[in-house]
Amino acid sequence: MVRPTPATPRTPRPTTPSRPTQPPPVVVITGVSGSGKSTVGAALAGRLGWDWADGDAFHPGSNVAKMAAHEPLTDADRLPWLDEIGGWIDKEAEAGRPAVIACSALKRSYRDRLRTGRPQVRMVYLVVDLKTLHQRLTDRRGHMFHADMLGSQLSTLEPPAPEEDVLMVKSAGSPKQTVDHIITWEGLAAFLPSKAGRRQD
Ligand SMILES: Nc1ncnc2c1ncn2[C@@H]1O[C@H](COP(=O)(O)OP(=O)(O)OP(=O)(O)O)[C@@H](O)[C@H]1O
Ligand SMILES: O=C(O)[C@H](O)[C@@H](O)[C@H](O)[C@H](O)CO
């Protein structure tokens, strides 16, 4: 059972672009394979004009080879990969840039590894039903991750608990709708280029 999208936007989050004591926000889009992390994350970064990275790009060759061979990753495979992603988040902070990154972060311990010591991290979990997930993975072409590994993703998954403060967003409609929901519920509208006085395309 997943927690539905909240009835009202979260209020404790900062909604102004600059907070001198804390690095700019980094939104981590999480969820199982096929939930739309890359699609939604890239679109969100594009809307906000923020830096963007796909966590898939941080896998070492050994992980890519495993996934391409239809073999699920283990904790030992994932931990160095999560640290690479954490390193990217730290570089964004050093550069003072807000960013979006996609990372499955299937277990609570993985999410903790990414957010501990990084108060600027905001996590979003994409909620997608099993039938849709399977359909998306079956339809997707030219990707290392195959539909027959969905079961292993789901058995590894520890859906975020309410006290983790992860925004649960249903992602059943278009990617644009999901991006709109994230902007609203995460209180990111103040960061949109038009609000910062720049041209809106
Ligand atoms: N909201 C959506 N509506 C329809 N199709 C979508 C939606 N989001 C993603 N897709 C499609 O579903 C497939 C999976 O999306 P995507 O690659 O973004 O998922 P992912 O979570 O990043 O997967 P992975 O973890 O395996 O990289 C893609 O072919 C994408 O075009
Ligand atoms: O934790 C995992 O099992 C991996 O992160 C996978 O989720 C892949 O990164 C990705 O989904 C493949 O595209």
Side-chain angles (χ1 to χ4, degrees):
M1 187 70 183
V2 292
R3 193 160 57 98
T5 303
T8 53
R10 293 200 277 191
T11 46
R13 300 290 194 175
T15 53
T16 47
S18 58
R19 286 187 94 210
T21 53
Q22 188 169 302
V26 173
V27 178
V28 181
I29 309 288
T30 73
V32 298
S33 181
S35 57
K37 302 180 295 293
S38 307
T39 307
V40 168
L44 176 65
R47 280 276 290 282
L48 292 165
W50 290 6
D51 285 357
W52 156 247
D54 194 331
D56 280 351
F58 294 82
H59 278 299
S62 53
N63 284 3
V64 175
K66 248 185 154 174
M67 288 188 274
H70 301 234
E71 212 183 311
L73 302 181
T74 63
D75 279 0
D77 297 322
R78 290 187 181 111
L79 297 187
W81 167 66
L82 291 167
D83 289 342
E84 288 293 321
I85 290 175
W88 185 84
I89 294 173
D90 293 340
K91 283 195 184 120
E92 291 295 299
E94 280 159 28
R97 288 198 295 258
V100 181
I101 186 163
C103 172
S104 51
L106 298 175
K107 294 186 183 183
R108 183 168 186 156
S109 61
Y110 301 168
R111 294 187 289 275
D112 287 343
R113 203 170 178 104
L114 290 175
R115 63 192 162 200
T116 301
R118 299 185 182 107
Q120 76 274 30
V121 166
R122 304 166 177 212
M123 289 197 172
V124 174
Y125 174 84
L126 300 182
V127 180
V128 180
D129 66 86
L130 182 55
K131 190 175 167 198
T132 304
L133 282 174
H134 190 265
Q135 194 62 52
R136 286 183 187 173
L137 290 178
T138 306
D139 291 346
R140 190 169 65 175
R141 293 283 169 263
H143 197 282
M144 63 178 167
F145 203 92
H146 305 282
D148 61 2
M149 279 157 65
L150 184 54
S152 75
Q153 291 274 291
L154 295 171
S155 59
T156 304
L157 177 68
E158 295 169 4
E163 70 272 15
E164 285 188 63
D165 196 26
V166 174
L167 183 74
M168 312 290 277
V169 178
K170 264 195 184 175
S171 197
S174 69
K176 183 185 178 303
Q177 283 175 322
T178 304
V179 167
D180 287 344
H181 284 136
I182 294 171
I183 288 172
T184 300
W185 303 116
E186 273 296 340
L188 298 174
F191 293 95
L192 288 169
S194 60
K195 298 252 173 157
R198 277 179 268 157
R199 189 169 67 91
Q200 190 177 31
D201 292 316

